[in-house]
PDB file of all heavy atoms in Angstrom:
ATOM      1  N   LEU M  23       9.658  -0.295 -53.869  1.00  0.00           N
ATOM      2  CA  LEU M  23       9.797   0.345 -52.563  1.00  0.00           C
ATOM      3  C   LEU M  23      11.131   1.127 -52.572  1.00  0.00           C
ATOM      4  O   LEU M  23      11.133   2.290 -52.079  1.00  0.00           O
ATOM      5  CB  LEU M  23       9.811  -0.689 -51.480  1.00  0.00           C
ATOM      6  CG  LEU M  23       9.963  -0.128 -50.017  1.00  0.00           C
ATOM      7  CD1 LEU M  23       8.884   0.798 -49.661  1.00  0.00           C
ATOM      8  CD2 LEU M  23       9.902  -1.347 -49.026  1.00  0.00           C
ATOM      9  N   ALA M  24      12.224   0.574 -53.108  1.00  0.00           N
ATOM     10  CA  ALA M  24      13.502   1.224 -53.150  1.00  0.00           C
ATOM     11  C   ALA M  24      13.377   2.539 -53.964  1.00  0.00           C
ATOM     12  O   ALA M  24      13.940   3.602 -53.623  1.00  0.00           O
ATOM     13  CB  ALA M  24      14.528   0.302 -53.778  1.00  0.00           C
ATOM     14  N   GLU M  25      12.646   2.510 -55.073  1.00  0.00           N
ATOM     15  CA  GLU M  25      12.441   3.663 -55.939  1.00  0.00           C
ATOM     16  C   GLU M  25      11.663   4.734 -55.124  1.00  0.00           C
ATOM     17  O   GLU M  25      11.959   5.940 -55.272  1.00  0.00           O
ATOM     18  CB  GLU M  25      11.717   3.255 -57.198  1.00  0.00           C
ATOM     19  CG  GLU M  25      11.568   4.444 -58.161  1.00  0.00           C
ATOM     20  CD  GLU M  25      10.847   3.946 -59.441  1.00  0.00           C
ATOM     21  OE1 GLU M  25      10.832   2.741 -59.750  1.00  0.00           O
ATOM     22  OE2 GLU M  25      10.340   4.838 -60.161  1.00  0.00           O
ATOM     23  N   SER M  26      10.683   4.290 -54.363  1.00  0.00           N
ATOM     24  CA  SER M  26       9.810   5.234 -53.630  1.00  0.00           C
ATOM     25  C   SER M  26      10.600   5.992 -52.553  1.00  0.00           C
ATOM     26  O   SER M  26      10.425   7.192 -52.319  1.00  0.00           O
ATOM     27  CB  SER M  26       8.636   4.518 -52.952  1.00  0.00           C
ATOM     28  OG  SER M  26       7.820   3.978 -53.966  1.00  0.00           O
ATOM     29  N   VAL M  27      11.573   5.282 -51.935  1.00  0.00           N
ATOM     30  CA  VAL M  27      12.334   5.922 -50.850  1.00  0.00           C
ATOM     31  C   VAL M  27      13.645   6.460 -51.319  1.00  0.00           C
ATOM     32  O   VAL M  27      14.328   7.133 -50.533  1.00  0.00           O
ATOM     33  CB  VAL M  27      12.571   4.893 -49.676  1.00  0.00           C
ATOM     34  CG1 VAL M  27      11.273   4.429 -49.113  1.00  0.00           C
ATOM     35  CG2 VAL M  27      13.442   3.736 -50.163  1.00  0.00           C
ATOM     36  N   GLY M  28      13.951   6.305 -52.605  1.00  0.00           N
ATOM     37  CA  GLY M  28      15.154   6.888 -53.139  1.00  0.00           C
ATOM     38  C   GLY M  28      16.447   6.217 -52.662  1.00  0.00           C
ATOM     39  O   GLY M  28      17.404   6.937 -52.333  1.00  0.00           O
ATOM     40  N   ALA M  29      16.388   4.917 -52.590  1.00  0.00           N
ATOM     41  CA  ALA M  29      17.598   4.181 -52.080  1.00  0.00           C
ATOM     42  C   ALA M  29      17.785   2.935 -52.899  1.00  0.00           C
ATOM     43  O   ALA M  29      16.939   2.578 -53.769  1.00  0.00           O
ATOM     44  CB  ALA M  29      17.430   3.786 -50.630  1.00  0.00           C
ATOM     45  N   GLY M  30      18.939   2.300 -52.764  1.00  0.00           N
ATOM     46  CA  GLY M  30      19.202   1.088 -53.439  1.00  0.00           C
ATOM     47  C   GLY M  30      18.394  -0.100 -52.947  1.00  0.00           C
ATOM     48  O   GLY M  30      17.859  -0.138 -51.823  1.00  0.00           O
ATOM     49  N   ALA M  31      18.207  -1.138 -53.768  1.00  0.00           N
ATOM     50  CA  ALA M  31      17.411  -2.350 -53.405  1.00  0.00           C
ATOM     51  C   ALA M  31      18.004  -3.048 -52.238  1.00  0.00           C
ATOM     52  O   ALA M  31      17.339  -3.577 -51.346  1.00  0.00           O
ATOM     53  CB  ALA M  31      17.269  -3.262 -54.626  1.00  0.00           C
ATOM     54  N   ALA M  32      19.385  -3.122 -52.192  1.00  0.00           N
ATOM     55  CA  ALA M  32      20.074  -3.822 -51.127  1.00  0.00           C
ATOM     56  C   ALA M  32      19.771  -3.174 -49.760  1.00  0.00           C
ATOM     57  O   ALA M  32      19.455  -3.778 -48.729  1.00  0.00           O
ATOM     58  CB  ALA M  32      21.559  -3.933 -51.354  1.00  0.00           C
ATOM     59  N   ARG M  33      19.967  -1.841 -49.746  1.00  0.00           N
ATOM     60  CA  ARG M  33      19.696  -1.077 -48.466  1.00  0.00           C
ATOM     61  C   ARG M  33      18.299  -1.169 -48.060  1.00  0.00           C
ATOM     62  O   ARG M  33      17.974  -1.379 -46.869  1.00  0.00           O
ATOM     63  CB  ARG M  33      20.122   0.401 -48.663  1.00  0.00           C
ATOM     64  CG  ARG M  33      20.000   1.214 -47.395  1.00  0.00           C
ATOM     65  CD  ARG M  33      20.265   2.694 -47.616  1.00  0.00           C
ATOM     66  NE  ARG M  33      20.116   3.425 -46.362  1.00  0.00           N
ATOM     67  CZ  ARG M  33      20.048   4.762 -46.253  1.00  0.00           C
ATOM     68  NH1 ARG M  33      20.062   5.493 -47.368  1.00  0.00           N
ATOM     69  NH2 ARG M  33      19.986   5.332 -45.087  1.00  0.00           N
ATOM     70  N   THR M  34      17.346  -1.167 -49.039  1.00  0.00           N
ATOM     71  CA  THR M  34      15.917  -1.249 -48.725  1.00  0.00           C
ATOM     72  C   THR M  34      15.583  -2.675 -48.214  1.00  0.00           C
ATOM     73  O   THR M  34      14.834  -2.784 -47.207  1.00  0.00           O
ATOM     74  CB  THR M  34      15.084  -0.895 -49.971  1.00  0.00           C
ATOM     75  OG1 THR M  34      15.466   0.343 -50.452  1.00  0.00           O
ATOM     76  CG2 THR M  34      13.568  -0.936 -49.614  1.00  0.00           C
ATOM     77  N   GLY M  35      16.194  -3.692 -48.839  1.00  0.00           N
ATOM     78  CA  GLY M  35      15.982  -5.035 -48.373  1.00  0.00           C
ATOM     79  C   GLY M  35      16.479  -5.258 -46.931  1.00  0.00           C
ATOM     80  O   GLY M  35      15.807  -5.945 -46.131  1.00  0.00           O
ATOM     81  N   GLN M  36      17.593  -4.622 -46.546  1.00  0.00           N
ATOM     82  CA  GLN M  36      18.115  -4.769 -45.179  1.00  0.00           C
ATOM     83  C   GLN M  36      17.145  -4.055 -44.222  1.00  0.00           C
ATOM     84  O   GLN M  36      16.900  -4.613 -43.094  1.00  0.00           O
ATOM     85  CB  GLN M  36      19.476  -4.150 -45.078  1.00  0.00           C
ATOM     86  CG  GLN M  36      20.601  -4.962 -45.810  1.00  0.00           C
ATOM     87  CD  GLN M  36      20.772  -6.355 -45.258  1.00  0.00           C
ATOM     88  OE1 GLN M  36      20.706  -6.534 -44.017  1.00  0.00           O
ATOM     89  NE2 GLN M  36      20.917  -7.355 -46.122  1.00  0.00           N
ATOM     90  N   ALA M  37      16.597  -2.996 -44.622  1.00  0.00           N
ATOM     91  CA  ALA M  37      15.625  -2.270 -43.748  1.00  0.00           C
ATOM     92  C   ALA M  37      14.379  -3.131 -43.524  1.00  0.00           C
ATOM     93  O   ALA M  37      13.895  -3.189 -42.430  1.00  0.00           O
ATOM     94  CB  ALA M  37      15.231  -0.920 -44.374  1.00  0.00           C
ATOM     95  N   LEU M  38      13.935  -3.772 -44.577  1.00  0.00           N
ATOM     96  CA  LEU M  38      12.769  -4.636 -44.454  1.00  0.00           C
ATOM     97  C   LEU M  38      13.028  -5.810 -43.502  1.00  0.00           C
ATOM     98  O   LEU M  38      12.173  -6.210 -42.731  1.00  0.00           O
ATOM     99  CB  LEU M  38      12.341  -5.138 -45.821  1.00  0.00           C
ATOM    100  CG  LEU M  38      11.706  -4.148 -46.746  1.00  0.00           C
ATOM    101  CD1 LEU M  38      11.580  -4.740 -48.185  1.00  0.00           C
ATOM    102  CD2 LEU M  38      10.314  -3.773 -46.252  1.00  0.00           C
ATOM    103  N   LYS M  39      14.270  -6.379 -43.568  1.00  0.00           N
ATOM    104  CA  LYS M  39      14.560  -7.480 -42.654  1.00  0.00           C
ATOM    105  C   LYS M  39      14.558  -6.972 -41.220  1.00  0.00           C
ATOM    106  O   LYS M  39      14.118  -7.700 -40.351  1.00  0.00           O
ATOM    107  CB  LYS M  39      15.967  -8.062 -43.036  1.00  0.00           C
ATOM    108  CG  LYS M  39      15.940  -8.794 -44.291  1.00  0.00           C
ATOM    109  CD  LYS M  39      17.333  -9.300 -44.642  1.00  0.00           C
ATOM    110  CE  LYS M  39      17.318 -10.100 -46.002  1.00  0.00           C
ATOM    111  NZ  LYS M  39      18.684 -10.609 -46.342  1.00  0.00           N
ATOM    112  N   ARG M  40      15.095  -5.779 -40.980  1.00  0.00           N
ATOM    113  CA  ARG M  40      15.105  -5.233 -39.574  1.00  0.00           C
ATOM    114  C   ARG M  40      13.670  -5.025 -39.146  1.00  0.00           C
ATOM    115  O   ARG M  40      13.314  -5.214 -38.023  1.00  0.00           O
ATOM    116  CB  ARG M  40      15.870  -3.916 -39.526  1.00  0.00           C
ATOM    117  CG  ARG M  40      17.423  -4.156 -39.668  1.00  0.00           C
ATOM    118  CD  ARG M  40      18.161  -2.862 -39.353  1.00  0.00           C
ATOM    119  NE  ARG M  40      17.916  -1.812 -40.248  1.00  0.00           N
ATOM    120  CZ  ARG M  40      18.611  -1.612 -41.417  1.00  0.00           C
ATOM    121  NH1 ARG M  40      19.605  -2.457 -41.701  1.00  0.00           N
ATOM    122  NH2 ARG M  40      18.412  -0.570 -42.217  1.00  0.00           N
ATOM    123  N   LEU M  41      12.783  -4.486 -39.999  1.00  0.00           N
ATOM    124  CA  LEU M  41      11.358  -4.261 -39.645  1.00  0.00           C
ATOM    125  C   LEU M  41      10.630  -5.524 -39.391  1.00  0.00           C
ATOM    126  O   LEU M  41       9.809  -5.702 -38.488  1.00  0.00           O
ATOM    127  CB  LEU M  41      10.696  -3.515 -40.782  1.00  0.00           C
ATOM    128  CG  LEU M  41      11.145  -2.053 -40.933  1.00  0.00           C
ATOM    129  CD1 LEU M  41      10.541  -1.514 -42.271  1.00  0.00           C
ATOM    130  CD2 LEU M  41      10.708  -1.177 -39.819  1.00  0.00           C
ATOM    131  N   ALA M  42      11.071  -6.594 -40.200  1.00  0.00           N
ATOM    132  CA  ALA M  42      10.390  -7.928 -39.942  1.00  0.00           C
ATOM    133  C   ALA M  42      10.902  -8.484 -38.623  1.00  0.00           C
ATOM    134  O   ALA M  42      10.000  -9.155 -37.923  1.00  0.00           O
ATOM    135  CB  ALA M  42      10.859  -8.871 -41.080  1.00  0.00           C
ATOM    136  N   ALA M  43      12.126  -8.294 -38.243  1.00  0.00           N
ATOM    137  CA  ALA M  43      12.587  -8.699 -36.932  1.00  0.00           C
ATOM    138  C   ALA M  43      11.814  -8.098 -35.783  1.00  0.00           C
ATOM    139  O   ALA M  43      11.628  -8.710 -34.724  1.00  0.00           O
ATOM    140  CB  ALA M  43      14.067  -8.474 -36.781  1.00  0.00           C
ATOM    141  N   LEU M  44      11.309  -6.880 -36.005  1.00  0.00           N
ATOM    142  CA  LEU M  44      10.533  -6.195 -34.971  1.00  0.00           C
ATOM    143  C   LEU M  44       9.065  -6.577 -35.081  1.00  0.00           C
ATOM    144  O   LEU M  44       8.251  -6.148 -34.197  1.00  0.00           O
ATOM    145  CB  LEU M  44      10.628  -4.627 -35.210  1.00  0.00           C
ATOM    146  CG  LEU M  44      12.001  -4.030 -34.891  1.00  0.00           C
ATOM    147  CD1 LEU M  44      12.017  -2.590 -35.294  1.00  0.00           C
ATOM    148  CD2 LEU M  44      12.372  -4.197 -33.426  1.00  0.00           C
ATOM    149  N   GLY M  45       8.668  -7.388 -36.045  1.00  0.00           N
ATOM    150  CA  GLY M  45       7.281  -7.855 -36.188  1.00  0.00           C
ATOM    151  C   GLY M  45       6.419  -6.807 -36.892  1.00  0.00           C
ATOM    152  O   GLY M  45       5.141  -6.921 -36.713  1.00  0.00           O
ATOM    153  N   LEU M  46       6.965  -5.839 -37.594  1.00  0.00           N
ATOM    154  CA  LEU M  46       6.230  -4.827 -38.202  1.00  0.00           C
ATOM    155  C   LEU M  46       5.803  -5.090 -39.626  1.00  0.00           C
ATOM    156  O   LEU M  46       4.787  -4.545 -40.115  1.00  0.00           O
ATOM    157  CB  LEU M  46       6.949  -3.441 -38.204  1.00  0.00           C
ATOM    158  CG  LEU M  46       7.355  -2.990 -36.739  1.00  0.00           C
ATOM    159  CD1 LEU M  46       8.187  -1.701 -36.805  1.00  0.00           C
ATOM    160  CD2 LEU M  46       6.070  -2.663 -35.963  1.00  0.00           C
ATOM    161  N   VAL M  47       6.584  -5.899 -40.386  1.00  0.00           N
ATOM    162  CA  VAL M  47       6.279  -6.297 -41.712  1.00  0.00           C
ATOM    163  C   VAL M  47       6.538  -7.818 -41.902  1.00  0.00           C
ATOM    164  O   VAL M  47       7.193  -8.403 -41.058  1.00  0.00           O
ATOM    165  CB  VAL M  47       7.134  -5.532 -42.774  1.00  0.00           C
ATOM    166  CG1 VAL M  47       6.884  -4.038 -42.609  1.00  0.00           C
ATOM    167  CG2 VAL M  47       8.636  -5.842 -42.624  1.00  0.00           C
ATOM    168  N   ARG M  48       6.016  -8.362 -42.992  1.00  0.00           N
ATOM    169  CA  ARG M  48       6.265  -9.805 -43.233  1.00  0.00           C
ATOM    170  C   ARG M  48       6.421 -10.032 -44.761  1.00  0.00           C
ATOM    171  O   ARG M  48       5.767  -9.260 -45.550  1.00  0.00           O
ATOM    172  CB  ARG M  48       5.152 -10.646 -42.690  1.00  0.00           C
ATOM    173  CG  ARG M  48       3.774 -10.378 -43.144  1.00  0.00           C
ATOM    174  CD  ARG M  48       2.739 -11.312 -42.633  1.00  0.00           C
ATOM    175  NE  ARG M  48       1.366 -10.811 -42.875  1.00  0.00           N
ATOM    176  CZ  ARG M  48       0.522 -10.467 -41.942  1.00  0.00           C
ATOM    177  NH1 ARG M  48       0.894 -10.572 -40.696  1.00  0.00           N
ATOM    178  NH2 ARG M  48      -0.700 -10.001 -42.240  1.00  0.00           N
ATOM    179  N   ARG M  49       7.185 -10.995 -45.119  1.00  0.00           N
ATOM    180  CA  ARG M  49       7.337 -11.327 -46.531  1.00  0.00           C
ATOM    181  C   ARG M  49       6.105 -12.184 -46.994  1.00  0.00           C
ATOM    182  O   ARG M  49       5.781 -13.134 -46.304  1.00  0.00           O
ATOM    183  CB  ARG M  49       8.617 -12.150 -46.709  1.00  0.00           C
ATOM    184  CG  ARG M  49       9.025 -12.390 -48.211  1.00  0.00           C
ATOM    185  CD  ARG M  49      10.067 -13.474 -48.308  1.00  0.00           C
ATOM    186  NE  ARG M  49      11.252 -13.143 -47.502  1.00  0.00           N
ATOM    187  CZ  ARG M  49      12.330 -12.495 -48.032  1.00  0.00           C
ATOM    188  NH1 ARG M  49      12.326 -12.049 -49.281  1.00  0.00           N
ATOM    189  NH2 ARG M  49      13.328 -12.290 -47.243  1.00  0.00           N
ATOM    190  N   VAL M  50       5.583 -11.872 -48.081  1.00  0.00           N
ATOM    191  CA  VAL M  50       4.354 -12.600 -48.588  1.00  0.00           C
ATOM    192  C   VAL M  50       4.659 -13.270 -49.947  1.00  0.00           C
ATOM    193  O   VAL M  50       3.728 -13.967 -50.460  1.00  0.00           O
ATOM    194  CB  VAL M  50       3.170 -11.678 -48.746  1.00  0.00           C
ATOM    195  CG1 VAL M  50       2.694 -11.162 -47.391  1.00  0.00           C
ATOM    196  CG2 VAL M  50       3.476 -10.493 -49.635  1.00  0.00           C
ATOM    197  N   GLY M  51       5.849 -13.140 -50.430  1.00  0.00           N
ATOM    198  CA  GLY M  51       6.224 -13.798 -51.726  1.00  0.00           C
ATOM    199  C   GLY M  51       7.603 -13.369 -52.056  1.00  0.00           C
ATOM    200  O   GLY M  51       8.236 -12.549 -51.353  1.00  0.00           O
ATOM    201  N   ARG M  52       8.098 -13.860 -53.166  1.00  0.00           N
ATOM    202  CA  ARG M  52       9.453 -13.526 -53.574  1.00  0.00           C
ATOM    203  C   ARG M  52       9.583 -12.063 -53.810  1.00  0.00           C
ATOM    204  O   ARG M  52       8.898 -11.565 -54.820  1.00  0.00           O
ATOM    205  CB  ARG M  52       9.839 -14.325 -54.833  1.00  0.00           C
ATOM    206  CG  ARG M  52      11.246 -14.154 -55.268  1.00  0.00           C
ATOM    207  CD  ARG M  52      11.617 -15.032 -56.375  1.00  0.00           C
ATOM    208  NE  ARG M  52      13.014 -14.855 -56.855  1.00  0.00           N
ATOM    209  CZ  ARG M  52      14.088 -15.362 -56.256  1.00  0.00           C
ATOM    210  NH1 ARG M  52      13.943 -16.134 -55.214  1.00  0.00           N
ATOM    211  NH2 ARG M  52      15.338 -15.154 -56.709  1.00  0.00           N
ATOM    212  N   GLY M  53      10.268 -11.300 -53.096  1.00  0.00           N
ATOM    213  CA  GLY M  53      10.481  -9.875 -53.232  1.00  0.00           C
ATOM    214  C   GLY M  53       9.273  -9.054 -52.871  1.00  0.00           C
ATOM    215  O   GLY M  53       9.158  -7.870 -53.171  1.00  0.00           O
ATOM    216  N   GLN M  54       8.237  -9.689 -52.272  1.00  0.00           N
ATOM    217  CA  GLN M  54       6.999  -8.990 -51.920  1.00  0.00           C
ATOM    218  C   GLN M  54       6.806  -8.881 -50.396  1.00  0.00           C
ATOM    219  O   GLN M  54       7.039  -9.866 -49.731  1.00  0.00           O
ATOM    220  CB  GLN M  54       5.753  -9.749 -52.529  1.00  0.00           C
ATOM    221  CG  GLN M  54       5.749  -9.811 -54.065  1.00  0.00           C
ATOM    222  CD  GLN M  54       5.439  -8.462 -54.700  1.00  0.00           C
ATOM    223  OE1 GLN M  54       4.622  -7.683 -54.164  1.00  0.00           O
ATOM    224  NE2 GLN M  54       6.127  -8.115 -55.756  1.00  0.00           N
ATOM    225  N   TRP M  55       6.478  -7.715 -49.965  1.00  0.00           N
ATOM    226  CA  TRP M  55       6.297  -7.441 -48.506  1.00  0.00           C
ATOM    227  C   TRP M  55       4.991  -6.720 -48.204  1.00  0.00           C
ATOM    228  O   TRP M  55       4.460  -6.057 -49.119  1.00  0.00           O
ATOM    229  CB  TRP M  55       7.444  -6.602 -47.998  1.00  0.00           C
ATOM    230  CG  TRP M  55       8.775  -7.214 -48.071  1.00  0.00           C
ATOM    231  CD1 TRP M  55       9.545  -7.344 -49.190  1.00  0.00           C
ATOM    232  CD2 TRP M  55       9.461  -7.889 -47.032  1.00  0.00           C
ATOM    233  NE1 TRP M  55      10.712  -8.047 -48.887  1.00  0.00           N
ATOM    234  CE2 TRP M  55      10.707  -8.336 -47.562  1.00  0.00           C
ATOM    235  CE3 TRP M  55       9.225  -8.102 -45.690  1.00  0.00           C
ATOM    236  CZ2 TRP M  55      11.665  -9.060 -46.824  1.00  0.00           C
ATOM    237  CZ3 TRP M  55      10.174  -8.760 -44.935  1.00  0.00           C
ATOM    238  CH2 TRP M  55      11.341  -9.286 -45.469  1.00  0.00           C
ATOM    239  N   GLU M  56       4.453  -6.991 -47.072  1.00  0.00           N
ATOM    240  CA  GLU M  56       3.264  -6.195 -46.555  1.00  0.00           C
ATOM    241  C   GLU M  56       3.453  -5.838 -45.104  1.00  0.00           C
ATOM    242  O   GLU M  56       4.208  -6.505 -44.379  1.00  0.00           O
ATOM    243  CB  GLU M  56       2.003  -6.983 -46.810  1.00  0.00           C
ATOM    244  CG  GLU M  56       1.870  -8.169 -45.926  1.00  0.00           C
ATOM    245  CD  GLU M  56       0.483  -8.931 -46.095  1.00  0.00           C
ATOM    246  OE1 GLU M  56      -0.229  -8.566 -47.023  1.00  0.00           O
ATOM    247  OE2 GLU M  56       0.195  -9.833 -45.309  1.00  0.00           O
TER     248      GLU M  56
END
Side-chain angles (χ1 to χ4, degrees):
L23 181 58
E25 184 178 341
S26 297
V27 299
R33 184 185 181 194
T34 304
Q36 290 299 317
L38 287 168
K39 290 179 181 179
R40 289 191 294 271
L41 293 170
L44 293 173
L46 300 175
V47 301
R48 57 175 167 245
R49 190 195 302 270
V50 292
R52 185 175 180 80
Q54 297 288 321
W55 296 79
E56 70 176 8

